[in-house]
Amino acid sequence: MRVDILGSRVLPGVLMVDFHQRNPDVALKTLVLRGLAASLPALQSGEIDATFAYHPDPLPPGVESTVAYLEPHEVIVGAGHPLANRTAVPVDELRRYTFWIPGIVDGSEWGAFYQELSAEFGLTIDSAGPNFGFEDLIGTIAESKSVITFWGERTREVGPWPRGVRRLRVVDPTPVYPWSLIWLSSNRHPDLGTLIEHVRRQPQPDVDDLWLPRRLRGSVPDQRADGL
């Protein structure tokens, strides 16, 4: 079974490690494609059996999805940053800082997510500069007294982290990234159903006041609706 995970350290990679450990007899190959622009055609052509993504637009006919995880966004700051001694920060307070997120790709679904998030709360997001990976990003944040970045709750930490780097919860509300598992309804791979059920059994985060992109509001009762 061939599954696109977008990246080994982000949530899909974490979920697939857990799936493999619980289902060691399932023959599995993971791929790292460049978001929906690449994974949807690969899905429709049969190159892959499933992908993980946030899809801001409705999926094409014959493509199905289910919630994988509503991942709370945290904030990473360095030891010299004014927020370094905090454990949580209201999202409105983040307006005064600049977020550096060099991994935003034009036209990507995560780009659409951050665009809507920044517009709603008046956040400043800088995506300029080369993306040299998580290590470089965290190293830059560690040395800065002004720049911060977002971090997925279940993104694997790059360790050891520079001394003094802090992870802060974002509250009032907590932005969540709505990951979905996506597959072709006509796909009859014998192990695909096992993966779908595994994903549907994932416990969701205990967040009372969450922020979702506008299209999804009201469509996620109890944080467990299908079809994101």
Side-chain angles (χ1 to χ4, degrees):
M1 183 167 59
R2 299 148 301 173
V3 181
D4 165 45
I5 60 172
L6 189 62
S8 61
R9 285 188 172 131
V10 293
L11 179 102
V14 174
L15 289 184
M16 290 309 298
V17 167
D18 181 59
F19 174 79
H20 176 64
Q21 291 173 343
R22 294 173 183 269
N23 301 273
D25 295 333
V26 172
L28 181 67
K29 179 180 180 179
T30 58
L31 299 88
V32 177
L33 302 180
R34 295 291 290 170
L36 281 173
S39 63
L40 271 181
L43 197 68
Q44 293 170 312
S45 69
E47 180 184 343
I48 61 174
D49 297 295
T51 184
F52 288 89
Y54 155 54
H55 55 93
D57 301 314
L59 292 169
V63 181
E64 298 185 37
S65 70
T66 189
V67 174
Y69 195 68
L70 302 178
E71 185 175 23
H73 261 38
E74 301 176 342
V75 165
I76 301 280
V77 303
H81 195 276
L83 296 173
N85 294 323
R86 305 273 290 276
T87 58
V89 57
V91 68
D92 284 344
E93 195 175 328
L94 296 174
R95 291 192 183 107
R96 67 188 68 174
Y97 306 109
T98 296
F99 287 83
W100 187 46
I101 310 178
I104 295 179
V105 176
D106 288 343
S108 65
E109 61 270 20
W110 57 91
F113 174 85
Y114 284 119
Q115 183 177 28
E116 184 173 347
L117 177 64
S118 62
E120 182 147 343
F121 294 104
L123 306 180
T124 300
I125 294 180
D126 177 14
S127 61
N131 178 19
F132 291 123
F134 285 136
E135 290 89 347
D136 181 70
L137 173 63
I138 295 303
T140 299
I141 297 300
E143 296 174 2
S144 177
K145 296 182 179 179
S146 59
V147 177
I148 61 180
T149 196
F150 278 119
W151 190 264
E153 176 199 57
R154 295 182 66 181
T155 299
R156 292 179 184 174
E157 292 186 358
V158 202
W161 278 25
R163 184 175 180 180
V165 170
R166 304 281 193 273
R167 291 175 62 167
L168 284 63
R169 291 181 296 111
V170 181
V171 297
D172 302 328
T174 300
V176 297
Y177 193 86
W179 290 101
S180 289
L181 175 68
I182 305 170
W183 68 95
L184 208 61
S185 56
S186 60
N187 189 322
R188 295 294 180 263
H189 192 289
D191 297 314
L192 182 57
T194 303
L195 175 60
I196 294 168
E197 288 307 309
H198 174 82
V199 168
R200 285 176 170 164
R201 289 196 300 267
Q202 292 296 310
Q204 294 296 312
D206 185 13
V207 178
D208 293 327
D209 186 13
L210 57 78
W211 178 90
L212 282 166
R214 191 175 305 277
R215 189 184 73 81
L216 304 179
R217 295 173 196 173
S219 67
V220 194
D222 297 326
Q223 303 178 8
R224 288 301 295 156
D226 283 357
L228 288 187

